[in-house]
C-alpha cells in the first residue's frame, strides 16, 4: 500500500527576513519532508539550522554548511542514509550542490533531495545532468524512488526544466493544486521552484499552499511549494 508523504520546497533567503514567519509557514503546511535552499551558512550556521528545525517541529536529516542546502524530516520520517555532493565549480559563480536524505516513512522508503541551481544557463544545464547522475546512483543504491525539490532558477520550457521533466514528473504540471507561481512572494510572476517525482510516485497535488495569515510575504522572497505524494511500499 502506498504511503502518503507531504513534501515542501522552500527558499528561505538565509533567514534574513522573518525566521518566525518561516517556521509558521512550515508548521501550517505540515510537511513530512522539508527541502530547503539558502539556509544560513555563515557565522552560527549550525545553531541557526537547529533552531529552525526545532521551531518547525522537525530534525535536520541532510545538508552541510556549503551551498546553503538542507533536508529536514518530521518525526514520522526516519533517516537511514544521507549524502551531499558538490557540483562542478564555475569561476565567479556561487558553488552549487545536492543534499540527499534517504528516509523511511512507514513501510515506504524515499530518496529526498534538495538543490538550488544557477542563474547562468550553461552551468545550470550542466549541473542538472550531474544531479540526475547522482540521483540515478542513489535510486539504485538504496532501492527507493526519488523526489527532487528546489529552486531551479528557470521556468518550465527552459532547457534545464525540460531535461528534468524527461526523467521526472513535474509535480504541479501533473496534479495542480494551488497556485503555480513561486517568485517573488510579494509579486509572484515566475514559476522557478519545483518538486519532481519519479514515475512510480503518485502526485496527488502540488502547488503554492494557501496563506491566510499573510506569512509568505513576511518570511522570505519565495513562496513555498507543497506536494502531496503517495510513495509505493516494498510490495507495491
Amino acid at each position: 500500500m502506498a504511503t502518503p508523504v507531504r513534501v515542501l520546497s522552500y527558499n528561505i533567503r538565509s533567514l534574513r527576513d522573518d525566521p518566525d514567519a518561516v517556521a509558521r509557514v512550515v508548521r501550517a503546511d505540515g510537511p513530512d519532508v522539508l527541502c530547503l535552499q539558502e539556509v544560513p551558512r555563515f557565522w552560527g550556521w549550525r545553531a541557526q539550522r537547529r533552531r529552525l528545525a526545532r521551531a518547525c517541529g522537525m530534525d535536520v536529516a541532510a545538508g552541510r554548511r556549503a551551498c546553503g542546502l538542507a533536508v529536514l524530516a518530521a518525526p514520522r520520517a526516519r533517516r537511514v542514509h544521507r549524502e551531499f555532493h558538490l557540483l562542478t565549480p564555475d569561476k565567479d559563480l556561487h558553488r552549487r550542490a545536492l543534499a540527499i536524505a534517504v528516509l523511511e516513512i512507514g513501510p515506504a522508503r524515499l530518496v529526498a533531495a534538495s538543490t538550488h541551481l544557477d542563474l547562468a544557463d550553461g552551468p545550470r544545464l550542466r549541473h542538472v545532468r550531474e544531479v540526475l547522475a547522482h540521483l540515478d546512483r542513489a535510486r539504485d543504491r538504496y532501492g527507493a524512488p526519488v523526489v527532487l525539490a528546489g529552486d531551479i532558477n528557470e521556468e518550465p520550457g527552459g532547457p534545464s526544466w525540460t531535461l528534468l521533466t524527461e526523467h521526472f514528473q513535474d509535480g504541479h504540471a501533473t496534479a495542480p493544486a494551488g497556485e503555480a507561481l513561486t517568485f517573488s512572494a510579494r509579486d509572484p510572476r515566475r514559476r522557478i521552484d519545483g518538486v519532481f517525482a519519479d514515475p512510480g510516485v503518485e502526485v496527488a497535488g502540488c502547488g503554492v499552499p494557501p496563506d491566510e495569515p499573510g506569512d509568505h510575504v513576511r518570511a522570505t522572497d519565495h513562496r513555498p511549494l507543497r506536494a502531496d505524494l503517495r510513495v509505493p511500499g516494498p510490495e507495491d
Side-chain angles (χ1 to χ4, degrees), residues 1-209:
M1 180 179 295
T3 300
V5 176
R6 175 167 285 182
V7 175
L8 194 72
S9 183
Y10 208 5
N11 182 320
I12 58 173
R13 201 161 74 141
S14 299
L15 297 176
R16 288 181 292 176
D17 299 287
D18 186 340
D20 292 335
V22 170
R24 288 195 301 268
V25 168
V26 174
R27 290 197 305 268
D29 291 323
D32 300 298
V33 183
L34 175 59
C35 294
L36 294 173
Q37 304 88 44
E38 294 196 29
V39 183
R41 58 190 177 91
F42 296 112
W43 186 86
W45 65 276
R46 278 197 182 90
Q48 291 184 75
R49 292 186 186 203
R50 290 172 183 155
R51 189 159 52 244
L52 175 63
R54 285 196 302 269
C56 295
M58 306 182 82
D59 295 308
V60 178
R64 294 182 185 171
R65 177 176 182 174
C67 307
L69 297 174
V71 179
L72 273 56
R76 71 184 287 252
R78 184 175 74 91
R79 187 193 75 202
V80 292
H81 299 284
R82 62 181 171 185
E83 297 181 7
F84 189 87
H85 301 281
L86 288 170
L87 306 180
T88 55
D90 290 273
K91 185 178 180 181
D92 300 326
L93 296 178
H94 290 295
R95 193 71 188 269
R96 302 296 174 175
L98 178 70
I100 295 173
V102 183
L103 304 170
E104 289 183 348
I105 305 172
R109 177 176 280 202
L110 177 69
V111 176
S114 180
T115 196
H116 184 184
L117 299 178
D118 210 276
L119 289 165
D121 293 346
R124 182 170 60 244
L125 184 58
R126 187 181 75 250
H127 289 156
V128 167
R129 294 190 181 102
E130 295 176 28
V131 164
L132 290 171
H134 286 304
L135 293 177
D136 283 346
R137 286 190 287 270
R139 185 188 299 107
D140 292 342
R141 183 179 299 124
Y142 302 115
V146 169
V147 174
L148 170 68
D151 179 351
I152 307 305
N153 266 322
E154 180 181 283
E155 294 185 85
S160 295
W161 196 289
T162 298
L163 182 57
L164 287 168
T165 58
E166 289 173 359
H167 292 76
F168 297 112
Q169 302 172 83
D170 173 350
H172 186 269
T174 301
E179 296 183 23
L181 305 179
T182 59
F183 186 82
S184 69
R186 190 169 298 278
D187 183 22
R189 294 175 180 267
R190 303 178 66 203
R191 182 159 89 95
I192 61 172
D193 300 87
V195 175
F196 302 89
D198 265 350
V201 175
E202 178 188 347
V203 182
C206 181
V208 175

